[in-house]
Amino acid sequence: MISKVEKDYISKGIAAGIRNDGRGPNESRQLELETGIINQASGSCRVSVRGGTEVLVGIKVSVGDIQELDTRDEEEEAMKNRADVGRIVCSVECSPSAKIVLDKRQIEEMCILYTQILNRTLNGPQGGLDLYKLCIIPGSVCWILNIDVLILNYGGSVFDAIFMAVRGAIHNTRLAKVKVESTDGAFDFEVEDDETEVLEGRENVPVAVTAFQIDKNHVIDAMPLEEQCSDSSVSVMVNKHGKLCGVQKGLKGSLETSLLINMIQHCQNKGQEVISAMDSFLAQEERRIIDLVEPVGFR
Amino acid sequence: MLFSKSFIKKTKKGSVIKIVKEHYLRDDIDCGIPSCSSCKTESQLTDGPYIIPDTNMLYHQIDLMEHQGMQNIIILQTVLQELKHKSLPIYQRIRNLIPKKQIYVFCNEHHRETFVKTEMGESPNDRNDRAIRRATEWYVAHCNKNNFILVTDDRDNRQKAIKQGLAAKSVREYVETLPFKDILDLVANHDEVLDAQNSFTYPEHLSQIQISAGLKSGAFHQGVLSISGHNFLEATTIIKHNNEEKTIHIVGREHLNRGIQGDVVAIQVLPESEWKSSISTIVEEEVAEDLNVDEKEKIDLVPTGKVVGIIKRNWRPYCGTIDVSSVQQTSTLSAVQSVFFWSMDKRIPKIRIKTRQAQDLVGKRIIVAIDSWEKNSRYPAGHFVRVLGEVGDKQTETEVLLLEHDVPFAPFSPLVLSFLPEEGENWIVQDKHLANRRDFRGWDICSIDPPGCTDIDDALHAKLLPNGNYQVGVHIADVSHFVKPENAMDLEAQRRGTTVYLVDKRIDMLPGLLGTNLCSLRSNVDRLAFSCIWEITPQAEILSCEYTKSVIRSKNSFTYDEAQARLDDPNMNDPVSLGIKALNTLAKQLRKKRMEAGALTLASPEVRFRMENDSQDPVDVEMKELKDTNALVEEFMLLANIYVAKKIYDTFPDSSLLRRHPKPPANNFEPLIKAVAPLGIEIDPSTSKTLSDSLDNAVLPSDAYFNKLIRIMTTRCMMQAVYFCSGTLSEPDFWHYGLASPIYTHFTSPIRRYSDLQVHRLLAACIGYEKDYSSDLVDKTKVKEMCDGKMIINLVLNYRHRMAQQAARSSVELYTHLFFKGKTLQEEAYVIRILKNGFVVLIPKYGVEGIIYSSPNPDEPAVLTLNAEENVLVNGNIRIGLFNKVKVQITVNEAGEAGQRSKLCLELIEPSIKGMVKPAESKPKAKKQKTKK
């Protein structure tokens, strides 16, 4: 909840290009990212933003039956008919210990919303991952990536952190090698003991950048108070190549077309920056894994 | 220090899971070397040198490890764990060895300095080898002495070890340094020993993944290989096809593809064009070429298949003798020879072993274990384990048959005996035992058993009630009072499964104190029992049934003859005799009802031996006779079993231990039906009632024995009755074909069968006697495992039951041969089977079977020829067909010379055919003798 005075104060500040913590409207807060911290998961990542947002993502792979994708998109329709794709199942949950200003019902709705966005974005060519490669035995068995997001702390702009953590976790995920044998048309498979294979297309996974509109301006990486000042937001999912992978409008207000296009543009650019910073860091993480250095983790 | 290890595993259901384990490292694990100053643990090691074996050495050379010459062994935790995964039985054997020898188990996985982390891309095997080398290295550094030898047959591992500066030897190299004469024989072979006929190759076995893919798609079927007793190159296996059990035949060496009796194999059914005829050939000894199928004879085709892969080997150590012809006379006594070994079990092929004691071993019974069967070796390779004794010696032969049938016959251990009641022989029924029991000590109860029976399981009584009905009681020894679940005595009894009755010995399931004294329902002494009491009308209608634990005092322990005497004597009117008479009347009516419902009366050619005084040599043989009293006891035992089955199934529908007899497949009867058709007799096997009626009508006025013969043949078409867990099958499958009962179990002999003991516990829980019963009673999986195990076919009831029966038969066979030794007898016989190169006869007087060959001299042409359409063997005008009566001359071929066991040698006397009998002067000792006609 926010008072009228505070709201006015923040709006005027942003109009003047100043935010409460001294950032510019396009600046994002410092964050920490670490991958490979959960032993039991096939891939994991934790993103911790200075302002308090903390998100933990764990990916467990399992083997299951090939099901048809539930989408309405044209291209995905085409994929629906092909019985040789794996799939991704996401779920977003908020930890009860997260410091959060919304009430329970709103939290639930928020989580459901984020789950849906993640599912839609990742389960298709726009998600970047090569789902065909996840198929083990065409027509019957495939890998299923279960992506579980846990919001540990809420400090504004959670969705951006979630997507970043998901991208980091995907980068970190390893699959076990599978050997398929066939006899007379019947197939069976064996798995290797260790998880060694990376997910194909992981570098094409997008990140999200959310811009919150406050009066005539918008801010990126909003803090909780700023979010409450805003009437509408736009989350833009953009990948390494600058392509738009998804756009989601949030909150209840309306947006002018020109402002909308502006926001999307800004987010796209910001997204590219984020990705390049992330990629250089993820390359470091790869080194760390090969060198068998333990992550700092939760210590 | 804490580590976490993780790996991926595919579960049985097909899902893939990641397993993460925590691993602790410590630095206070001692080395076990006595001279080490820093380590204080006392171990059994003495002064060096010490050997550190790798897993394969323990796995393949287990018999070598048990030799007393192998001492000062350091077994690493890595090796022990790998061994456990590879083979649980061998792991158990090593575990049992550890306290008895100079062995120390070093926990190298948990020692900080010897723990080895898997490198990227390293296979588990390589990692384990590295761990073993690391541990050896550590030992050398820790004790500052280089007397630790790494023993492994893996050349790669040895080379790497030597590079690291360690001493490494192969198994053979190490064993050669030991000062024991016979120890080198025990070393198992794993090099590819090529056969003389090098060109021979078996088809490659498919890999496990290919087999499981094929099983899923239905291209292959899984079954247990069952080699024919007559021909070791023919086998059958029962597969489940479309929910029906079908028998598939496998003929020929190539199709058998190195499958050995008992192995679980993957079968591919051949197309119909390649199916073989059902008439088989007898092959007893080695034939150089494979038998070729007569292409013209396409009669009676049966489904045929071939082995494409082995799912599980079920090898065990085999008893037998060395093939004399393969032993070379050498002057050097200790030269290693490659000789062939014949197992007692005719279904096992020849095994090649290497030994230095070849000449010593001729004429002795020995045990050999199979190591491997490579695809370019005609025979499997194995190694010698130990000697049992002289061939033909009764003790040795009895031990051989017990080993061959996997009957545990060691005396009860002190631990087991510690669970007997402390009062021992002086145990009596006291007031404290009467809680929750009814007191029947005043009742007129008696028991009827064979003469000389000391373990009396059951007793009966019948009393006329005021309302004109009878009160009938069956009282069974209350073994479950003395044998509590899961204690050592119970586990040992479960392991044994049943008491085994040999001709001269009895291998007890329970210690004698219980079996022949405290549990046995002896007369004139108070005993604990579990009773079934019925109220029955004089017309044998059962009105009610109750079950209760009780205390009884049997008035008489009759033999069948004594009870029969009481029955027949109209002057005996004491309560017990009246009881027997009442029981008899009721039993007759019950039996009639059962027959009407379709129960089968089958027959077996069983005979009993009469020993001369105590000389232990059989003097005469007599056929077992059935009297009224036999039938009486049988009727009421059946009644009790059926009622108890219903009761426990009612209360424990998921986990009752029941017994069923599956209906035999129709094609089992075909040969029999065809054989009796020309005699004008019809056999209808569609239901047990029709079969029973057919058997009753299958009479030849000219021959009284004929009906019994048909019944014997029918018995052989039957399936085995088996124990099963009620939760694993649906009710229609509970049917007991032979008894025509919808449900059945074993309840009446807990002293000699473990299944009955389990049923007692279930029934006690049903009636509320046992308020807290073990959760195992209701555990469906536990009961199922008790019946059939988990692919490891030992320690289980059905297996033990079968083995006990076969051991008993073998014992009878042994004594039969002893009886015939030195005698020549001529007796009547009936033809019971026609084969391509001979026929099988049954001699009713002695209950034995034997083979008569079409050509008594293998080098001369056949005297009898087979007419396949009519299934007869002909010579001129004389025809020999099924059920013909003939006369044969019986002699015994001594064991040892012909290679295996003593054989019954039969010659055809009547109908008299020239060439079928060898002239009197050349009484044959070995089959291969030539005679002049």
Side-chain angles (χ1 to χ4, degrees), chain A residues 39 41 183 186 188-189 193 195, chain B residues 4 8 10 18 210 212-213 217:
Chain A
N39 272 342
T183 321
D188 207 7
F189 68 95
D193 279 343
E195 292 177 315
Chain B
S4 89
I8 307 291
K10 185 177 167 200
K18 181 172 182 177
Q210 286 171 311
S212 70
S217 75

Side-chain angles (χ1 to χ4, degrees), chain B residues 624-661:
Chain B
K624 292 196 182 174
E625 265 180 52
L626 282 176
K627 300 188 179 40
D628 278 345
T629 40
N630 292 81
L632 189 163
V633 176
E634 191 189 344
E635 267 330 296
F636 285 104
M637 293 304 122
L638 289 177
L639 194 68
N641 284 336
I642 294 175
Y643 270 80
V644 169
K646 286 192 208 151
K647 178 80 180 167
I648 60 174
Y649 179 60
D650 222 21
T651 314
F652 296 109
D654 249 358
S655 60
S656 291
L657 181 57
L658 302 174
R659 191 159 171 86
R660 70 185 189 108
H661 186 204

Side-chain angles (χ1 to χ4, degrees), chain A residues 38-276:
Chain A
I38 303 178
N39 272 342
Q40 296 92 320
S42 307
S44 55
C45 178
R46 178 167 140 263
V47 166
S48 194
V49 181
R50 261 312 155 75
T53 301
E54 204 171 323
V55 166
L56 178 63
V57 171
I59 299 187
K60 286 272 259 185
V61 293
S62 61
V63 167
D65 293 327
I66 290 186
Q67 273 172 22
E68 295 188 346
L69 296 173
D70 181 33
T71 83
R72 270 164 260 178
D73 191 88
E74 238 181 41
E75 182 158 340
E76 289 169 41
E77 272 282 333
M79 232 203 285
K80 200 160 108 170
N81 295 329
R82 295 191 62 155
D84 48 2
V85 279
R87 61 182 189 277
I88 303 179
V89 178
C90 306
S91 105
V92 175
E93 223 181 50
C94 193
S95 160
S97 64
K99 194 174 72 172
I100 193 166
V101 294
L102 308 168
D103 68 43
K104 219 167 72 167
R105 180 93 169 294
Q106 288 173 311
I107 297 178
E108 235 182 86
E109 285 176 5
M110 178 183 83
C111 290
I112 293 177
L113 176 65
Y114 290 161
T115 308
Q116 287 179 340
I117 304 178
L118 275 173
N119 268 330
R120 280 209 309 267
T121 315
L122 294 172
N123 265 313
Q126 70 281 3
L129 289 177
D130 189 345
L131 294 177
Y132 293 115
K133 286 270 159 65
L134 292 180
C135 170
I136 300 176
I137 298 174
S140 73
V141 175
C142 67
W143 285 115
I144 302 174
L145 291 182
N146 297 296
I147 302 183
D148 296 301
V149 179
L150 184 62
I151 303 173
L152 293 172
N153 215 346
Y154 188 93
S157 196
V158 157
F159 190 62
D160 297 359
I162 289 178
F163 232 100
M164 216 182 304
V166 167
R167 185 166 189 272
I170 289 179
H171 187 94
N172 178 241
T173 304
R174 298 285 185 268
L175 294 178
K177 226 190 291 219
V178 171
K179 192 165 72 155
V180 179
E181 284 267 5
S182 79
T183 321
D184 278 355
F187 293 88
D188 207 7
F189 68 95
E190 279 294 312
V191 282
E192 300 273 308
D193 279 343
D194 287 315
E195 292 177 315
T196 46
E197 308 290 292
V198 295
L199 289 173
E200 300 268 334
R202 59 188 179 157
E203 60 282 348
N204 294 328
V205 175
V207 289
V209 179
T210 312
F212 282 84
Q213 168 260 341
I214 300 177
D215 293 336
K216 299 242 172 28
N217 315 91
H218 57 271
V219 286
I220 288 181
D221 195 8
M223 294 180 295
L225 282 177
E226 291 169 345
E227 284 185 1
Q228 289 184 47
C229 287
S230 166
D231 286 324
S232 57
S233 73
V234 173
S235 297
V236 174
M237 274 70 84
V238 59
N239 70 9
K240 185 162 108 166
H241 309 285
K243 300 279 193 213
L244 211 56
C245 299
V247 178
Q248 173 83 19
K249 184 200 165 295
L251 298 178
K252 298 191 187 127
S254 56
L255 274 175
E256 243 190 26
T257 328
S258 54
L259 189 52
L260 176 63
I261 295 176
N262 221 356
M263 283 162 86
I264 293 180
Q265 203 68 43
H266 266 142
C267 290
Q268 260 184 296
N269 294 335
K270 187 71 192 175
Q272 299 273 83
E273 277 175 42
V274 171
I275 287 187
S276 58

Side-chain angles (χ1 to χ4, degrees), chain B residues 3-290:
Chain B
F3 247 17
S4 89
K5 301 188 285 195
S6 63
F7 56 93
I8 307 291
K9 202 173 97 147
K10 185 177 167 200
T11 62
K12 283 198 194 118
K13 288 211 187 107
S15 54
V16 172
I17 52 173
K18 181 172 182 177
I19 300 183
V20 178
K21 288 194 184 148
E22 287 185 345
H23 192 81
Y24 290 88
L25 297 178
R26 33 196 311 180
D27 32 355
D28 56 348
I29 299 181
D30 292 336
C31 65
I33 307 293
S35 54
C36 181
S37 45
S38 45
C39 300
K40 291 171 218 74
T41 313
E42 293 206 357
S43 76
Q44 281 155 292
L45 299 179
T46 60
D47 281 323
Y50 308 99
I51 58 166
I52 302 181
D54 84 337
T55 323
N56 281 329
M57 180 184 174
L58 292 186
Y59 179 65
H60 288 131
Q61 313 286 359
I62 177 67
D63 294 311
L64 174 67
M65 298 307 293
E66 289 178 343
H67 191 280
Q68 36 129 317
M70 302 292 290
Q71 301 285 358
N72 275 338
I73 307 169
I74 298 177
I75 297 186
L76 298 176
Q77 187 184 8
T78 314
V79 168
L80 211 53
Q81 276 172 356
E82 243 196 306
L83 184 65
K84 189 171 183 189
H85 285 140
K86 249 185 151 150
S87 160
L88 202 50
I90 298 191
Y91 168 76
Q92 288 291 356
R93 280 169 78 175
I94 295 278
R95 281 289 299 264
N96 291 335
L97 271 187
I98 291 174
K100 299 184 197 151
K101 279 170 161 285
Q102 294 163 354
I103 299 181
Y104 180 69
V105 177
F106 179 61
C107 299
N108 68 316
E109 294 281 341
H110 287 290
H111 196 296
R112 192 175 341 183
E113 288 168 35
T114 58
F115 174 69
V116 150
K117 197 154 176 250
T118 315
E119 284 166 11
M120 278 288 265
E122 197 180 30
S123 77
N125 271 335
D126 287 335
R127 183 253 160 208
N128 288 338
D129 284 344
R130 204 155 57 88
I132 297 173
R133 289 198 296 273
R134 172 85 199 92
T136 316
E137 204 179 22
W138 178 84
Y139 258 106
V140 169
H142 180 81
C143 301
N144 231 336
K145 255 170 111 173
N146 202 346
N147 60 352
F148 296 93
I149 308 171
L150 176 58
V151 182
T152 168
D153 271 337
D154 181 347
R155 198 171 302 146
D156 223 21
N157 200 0
R158 279 205 304 272
Q159 280 175 353
K160 289 202 181 120
I162 293 175
K163 257 199 226 148
Q164 275 177 271
L166 306 168
K169 293 209 172 116
S170 77
V171 177
R172 202 164 272 276
E173 284 168 14
Y174 174 70
V175 171
E176 275 168 2
T177 65
L178 294 175
F180 292 90
K181 188 177 86 147
D182 51 347
I183 195 173
L184 209 45
D185 275 357
L186 297 175
V187 175
N189 310 313
H190 290 284
D191 328 320
E192 305 207 345
V193 181
L194 298 169
D195 215 334
Q197 297 132 306
N198 216 338
S199 53
F200 192 90
T201 320
Y202 289 102
E204 184 86 53
H205 284 156
L206 294 179
S207 72
Q208 289 292 346
I209 313 177
Q210 286 171 311
I211 293 176
S212 70
L215 286 175
K216 261 199 232 168
S217 75
F220 304 147
H221 302 271
Q222 183 172 311
V224 176
L225 204 59
S226 186
I227 307 241
S228 152
H230 285 299
N231 184 349
F232 64 86
L233 291 177
E234 266 178 31
T236 52
T237 179
I238 301 185
I239 60 165
K240 255 235 150 105
H241 189 67
N242 299 334
N243 260 334
E244 225 185 58
E245 295 190 345
K246 242 164 96 166
T247 311
I248 306 285
H249 294 245
I250 303 158
V251 178
R253 225 183 271 276
E254 204 185 306
H255 287 176
L256 273 176
N257 199 358
R258 296 171 279 156
I260 289 190
Q261 166 70 24
D263 286 346
V264 182
V265 293
I267 304 284
Q268 184 177 35
V269 181
L270 297 170
E272 279 202 32
S273 55
E274 295 184 44
W275 285 12
K276 309 272 197 247
S277 141
S278 68
I279 311 173
S280 60
T281 326
I282 320 163
V283 173
E284 295 209 323
E285 278 151 29
E286 192 44 47
V287 272
E289 359 63 53
D290 282 304

Side-chain angles (χ1 to χ4, degrees), chain B residues 846-864:
Chain B
Y846 300 109
V848 290
E849 274 176 46
I851 303 173
I852 297 188
Y853 288 91
S854 299
S855 62
N857 278 325
D859 311 315
E860 297 187 27
V863 179
L864 295 168

Side-chain angles (χ1 to χ4, degrees), chain B residues 544-556:
Chain B
S544 70
C545 179
E546 61 168 315
Y547 312 92
T548 175
K549 290 237 179 175
S550 57
V551 186
I552 66 167
R553 194 183 179 91
S554 163
K555 295 251 156 76
N556 300 85

Side-chain angles (χ1 to χ4, degrees), chain B residues 585-727:
Chain B
T585 326
L586 291 171
K588 286 204 157 68
Q589 292 178 74
L590 286 170
R591 190 181 182 78
K592 186 150 166 284
K593 284 192 191 161
R594 280 200 311 118
M595 293 303 140
E596 277 163 17
L600 289 172
T601 331
L602 299 169
S604 73
E606 268 178 70
V607 295
R608 230 185 29 227
F609 287 94
R610 258 214 328 256
M611 309 296 187
E612 180 181 286
N613 305 327
D614 275 326
S615 72
Q616 296 301 327
D617 276 328
V619 166
D620 200 1
V621 168
E622 46 193 44
M623 279 200 278
K624 292 196 182 174
E625 265 180 52
L626 282 176
K627 300 188 179 40
D628 278 345
T629 40
N630 292 81
L632 189 163
V633 176
E634 191 189 344
E635 267 330 296
F636 285 104
M637 293 304 122
L638 289 177
L639 194 68
N641 284 336
I642 294 175
Y643 270 80
V644 169
K646 286 192 208 151
K647 178 80 180 167
I648 60 174
Y649 179 60
D650 222 21
T651 314
F652 296 109
D654 249 358
S655 60
S656 291
L657 181 57
L658 302 174
R659 191 159 171 86
R660 70 185 189 108
H661 186 204
K663 182 173 159 177
N667 60 350
N668 276 18
F669 289 99
E670 272 161 33
L672 183 62
I673 296 176
K674 270 183 62 177
V676 290
L679 296 166
I681 297 177
E682 238 186 72
I683 301 218
D684 181 2
S686 32
T687 70
S688 55
K689 175 91 180 94
T690 56
L691 181 61
S692 179
D693 290 338
S694 315
L695 287 177
D696 287 338
N697 293 331
V699 196
L700 268 190
S702 50
D703 196 336
Y705 188 72
F706 181 75
N707 188 271
K708 180 156 185 198
L709 189 61
I710 299 294
R711 288 185 194 268
I712 294 174
M713 303 293 289
T714 312
T715 315
R716 286 167 197 208
C717 299
M718 293 286 136
M719 304 278 285
Q720 279 268 353
V722 287
Y723 295 110
F724 69 101
C725 169
S726 58

